[in-house]
Amino acid sequence: MIEQRRLCIISGPSGAGKTSIYKRLLAEFPWLRYSVSATTRQARPGEEDGVDYHFVGRDRFEQHRKNGDFAEYAEVHGNWYGTLRSELAAKTGAGVLCILDIDVQGAARIRPEYPDALKIFVKPPDVATLESRLLGRSTESPEVRALRLANAVRELEEEKFFDYSVTNSDFESAYNEVRSIILERKGALDNGHSV
Ligand code: 5GP
């Protein structure tokens, strides 16, 4: 059984800074877990299979999808990404919280089944900032960056479905905001309060 109050969904457009935020949270708090997603995307330099993602082929991904193994899945910028239920079951339990870094389509799909999960939207201060952050990622081709930007603008409209929205203009402040939200949930669970 997956304890949904122990799930913390961090979502928002690519380039909003979700990854830097969750990585620092994981480094700071030993009781935090990370839901490693399955993806059909190729590994980037430095990424490790089973740590950053479970890098799977399209056939394997499709098999998981047909088996109902995913709590949610979505096609993001031409690749498939999905959260395995087995991953959530393995990474929740007494004393821990599990972070999911998923796109806004995935967050919309997981919401009905896990309504009590904590949902945090991270957004850039404005579209111009988002564009310059995406351009700064040298790993992506110009076509991929353009696609990501167009998707990001649409994704900003999903903000209203989240419990909290954090604007990442300054990384330290955004980090501290997300940190406080997560600490509040952890404290409530530790004290046996309903959230
Ligand atoms: P990247 O390819 O840059 O690692 O991630 C691209 C996007 O896919 C990010 O917005 C990330 O949050 C999202 N993503 C990563 N894993 C999942 C997942 O399991 N499900 C969904 N729906 N999105 C994911």
Side-chain angles (χ1 to χ4, degrees), residues 66-107:
K66 280 195 189 140
N67 293 346
D69 295 341
F70 289 124
E72 62 75 34
Y73 60 90
E75 188 178 21
V76 187
H77 320 309
N79 292 300
W80 289 90
Y81 296 82
T83 302
L84 291 160
R85 293 179 196 283
S86 54
E87 186 76 19
L88 299 183
K91 297 202 172 156
T92 47
V96 305
L97 294 187
C98 176
I99 292 188
L100 287 75
D101 170 0
I102 63 178
D103 89 308
V104 295
Q105 305 170 74

